[in-house]
Amino acid sequence: MALVGLAELTEARERIAGVAVRTPLLPCPWADDEHSSLYLKPENLQPTGAFKTRGAYNRLAALTPEEAARGVVAQSSGNHAQAVAYAARLLGIKAVIVMPNTSPAVKVEATRSYGAEVRLVAPEERDTVPLQLVEEYGYLHVHPYDDPHIIAGQGTTGLEIAEDAAALGLALDTVLVPVSGGGLIAGTAAALKLTAPGVKVIGVEPELAADAQQSLRTGELTSWPVERTYRTVADGLRTTSLGRLPFEHVQAYVDDIVTVSEDEIRAAVAVLARRARVVAEPSGAVAAAAYLFRRGELPPGRNHAVVVSGGNVDPQLLAELLAV
């Protein structure tokens, strides 16, 4: 399948206009030093609390009337779930969401609040049950990342970063993006490399779920077992493998993928809350963790943009992380 290009990215931006928030590029003077400056792209400000609104709405809005009438099914630990449920409600489409029974309660409840039917399953069944429902009921499967419409929708994040940096007269050197199934980094990297080709795009994932780093560095798409990826506190990054189409984008456009520890992820959540006044879930804080704690592993350069991909954190966990 062909890589997503500027035409698809532009169509996605037009399609999601007025639904997804055009989040700002926020300067963080508290994090600056003589060698480096930080800017945040706060996707936690989206209507469903994460960047997934972009891709989900782009996918559902592109359905034909016949496809929409079938209803949709999606699988997710929470943020894609909420985004598909939200988009389906706006477009009047029936949505069934399959979620691991380990998903944070706040994400399960939010998904139900948008009117979707939620089915909780064991983590190892999250990818098989939706296919069973497609076969049984004829639903259209909305994959969380291995879909060109999803990638293009998420890629509008990169378009906005490039445009806002230009408007600020800012020469961005590096953009840090969380990695799970790869939809966000695939689309964002494509958008940046096609509009601001000098920018380095670096993916970030937990050390405990580093399948994407292994895949990029070996050149072979690698899968980690559920019992390994589910060790990380970053529940949105527990996907066991990049999607095949995202992997092709990663190989084409991503400069490197670095990892961060569990302690660094937890500390980044607290730093973002205290210093930036930005509420990030652990998955949304991994890119900031790389800037804060792994600067030596990043490409040389002064101006860094970090995608804070989501803010749907369990309140009890947030209180725990802030209490340290």
Side-chain angles (χ1 to χ4, degrees):
M1 189 175 292
L3 300 183
V4 167
L6 280 177
E8 291 82 10
L9 290 161
T10 301
E11 289 173 2
R13 178 166 56 183
E14 293 171 353
R15 202 174 277 129
I16 69 174
V19 175
V21 174
R22 196 187 197 289
T23 55
L25 200 57
L26 299 176
C28 296
W30 54 266
D32 295 349
D33 57 35
E34 59 181 321
H35 304 294
S36 186
S37 295
L38 173 64
Y39 295 81
L40 298 179
K41 178 70 168 169
E43 285 295 291
N44 59 310
L45 300 181
Q46 291 298 340
T48 61
F51 73 95
K52 295 280 192 177
T53 303
R54 298 173 181 269
Y57 192 84
N58 188 50
R59 183 70 194 92
L60 267 62
L63 296 179
T64 66
E66 294 75 20
E67 290 171 331
R70 290 164 52 188
V72 298
V73 62
Q75 75 269 30
S76 167
S77 64
N79 287 335
H80 180 63
Q82 293 173 73
V84 171
Y86 180 74
R89 186 178 73 175
L90 292 179
L91 295 166
I93 298 171
K94 175 181 173 60
V96 178
I97 310 297
V98 176
M99 302 181 72
N101 55 21
T102 55
S103 301
V106 65
K107 294 185 178 182
V108 175
E109 292 164 8
T111 303
R112 286 183 171 137
S113 76
Y114 296 125
E117 176 188 336
V118 174
R119 298 201 182 191
L120 297 175
V121 302
E124 59 271 19
E125 296 179 318
R126 64 179 286 174
D127 293 325
T128 57
V129 170
L131 302 181
Q132 294 169 5
L133 294 175
V134 168
E135 185 173 343
E136 185 174 355
Y137 296 102
Y139 299 136
L140 187 136
H141 185 207
V142 181
H143 199 279
Y145 45 84
D146 213 352
D147 180 301
H149 284 93
I150 295 290
I151 291 172
Q154 321 304 27
T156 58
T157 306
L159 290 181
E160 293 174 10
I161 290 172
E163 291 167 355
D164 288 354
L168 292 169
L170 177 65
L172 275 181
D173 297 298
T174 303
V175 177
L176 302 172
V177 186
V179 184
S180 183
L184 177 61
I185 195 167
T188 300
L192 288 166
K193 293 295 187 177
L194 294 172
T195 60
V199 175
K200 298 289 186 183
V201 180
I202 306 297
V204 188
E205 63 183 345
E207 289 177 347
L208 298 184
D211 57 280
Q213 184 191 67
Q214 184 177 343
S215 296
L216 177 60
R217 294 187 178 182
T218 64
E220 296 183 5
L221 185 58
T222 303
S223 178
W224 282 27
V226 166
E227 59 266 23
R228 292 186 70 184
T229 63
Y230 271 67
R231 296 173 299 166
T232 179
V233 69
D235 63 276
L237 306 183
R238 291 172 178 165
T239 302
T240 58
S241 172
L242 287 169
R244 185 153 297 280
L245 184 56
F247 182 48
E248 293 177 9
H249 286 75
V250 166
Q251 288 184 301
Y253 296 126
V254 175
D255 295 283
D256 195 13
I257 295 176
V258 302
T259 63
V260 290
S261 72
E262 295 299 291
D263 286 344
E264 289 165 344
I265 295 170
R266 291 170 176 269
V269 171
V271 170
L272 289 174
R274 293 190 182 112
R275 303 301 304 276
R277 278 61 173 179
V278 168
V279 174
E281 61 191 279
S283 304
V286 295
Y291 177 85
L292 293 169
F293 306 114
R294 300 291 181 101
R295 194 97 52 89
E297 299 178 27
L298 304 180
R302 177 170 184 82
N303 296 313
H304 299 73
V306 162
V307 178
V308 179
S309 56
N312 292 316
V313 59
D314 180 81
Q316 184 174 343
L317 175 60
L318 179 61
E320 174 188 317
L321 298 180
L322 289 176
V324 176

